[in-house]
Amino acid sequence: MPEVKPPPYPENTRAKGWRFELDLECIEQSDTWALAPAELRPWLLMLWATAWKQVPCGSLADDDALIAVRIGMKPALFMKNREILMRGWWKAKDGRLYHDTVALRVAEMLDVKEKGRQRKAEYRNTDWFKEIFQN
C-alpha cells in the first residue's frame, strides 16, 4: 500500500480569481498526454481546470461520479476511461486527490501572493507612507 502523503498546501487555499495557466511544453512532454487518445485529451485539461476552482485549489473530491459531473463527462464514459484520466492523481491524508503538476501551479501562485504581501508590508512600513497615511 503506498504511503498516504499530506496535502501539498493548506486546506483553505483558494485561487480567488487567479488564472490557471497551461504549460503547453510540459503537457506535450507528459506521458499521460502521450498515452491518451486524442478524444480524451480535452478531458485531461478539464480535470486540471476543474481542480483549480475547488477548495483547496488544485484538488478533486475522491468520488468518481462527482468528478465526472464536475468536468461535464457522462459517468459511464469517465469510468471506461478512468485509468488514463486519473493517471498521476494521488490521494492525500485529507481524502482529496491531487496532481503534482497542478499542485506545482498552486505552489507558484501561493509564492507570488506571498511575495506581493511582503512587498506591500515593506512599502507600508516606509517612513513617508507612515507619515502620510498613519497620521
Side-chain angles (χ1 to χ4, degrees):
M1 183 98 179
E3 178 188 351
V4 179
K5 300 188 287 187
Y9 33 78
E11 67 182 21
N12 62 347
T13 302
R14 295 173 181 262
K16 290 188 179 178
W18 196 272
R19 69 178 183 215
F20 179 66
E21 296 182 2
L22 296 174
D23 180 342
L24 295 178
E25 184 177 345
C26 177
I27 291 168
E28 289 174 345
Q29 292 176 6
S30 160
D31 292 342
T32 300
W33 191 260
L35 293 169
E39 63 271 13
L40 285 185
R41 289 178 175 177
W43 296 111
L44 293 171
L45 299 177
M46 280 302 298
L47 283 166
W48 285 4
T50 300
W52 187 258
K53 296 181 279 184
Q54 299 296 301
V55 178
C57 181
S59 71
L60 294 170
D62 185 18
D63 181 327
D64 292 342
L66 187 55
I67 294 170
V69 168
R70 289 208 188 276
I71 66 172
M73 182 181 244
K74 293 182 179 178
L77 183 60
F78 179 84
M79 292 309 296
K80 178 181 174 187
N81 295 287
R82 186 188 190 289
E83 185 176 338
I84 193 76
L85 291 170
M86 298 309 293
R87 192 172 186 276
W89 290 87
W90 50 274
K91 188 173 181 176
K93 286 183 180 178
D94 65 357
R96 294 190 63 85
L97 303 174
Y98 295 85
H99 191 284
D100 289 341
T101 302
V102 180
L104 178 62
R105 296 288 172 260
V106 174
E108 290 169 350
M109 173 193 70
L110 293 172
D111 185 51
V112 169
K113 284 182 174 184
E114 180 56 31
K115 286 178 181 175
R117 277 190 287 276
Q118 289 174 2
R119 184 180 38 67
K120 288 175 187 175
E122 289 170 8
Y123 178 75
R124 291 180 182 128
N125 201 31
T126 60
D127 291 337
W128 78 268
F129 184 89
K130 288 180 185 177
E131 185 178 316
I132 294 172
F133 295 103
Q134 294 180 355
N135 283 334

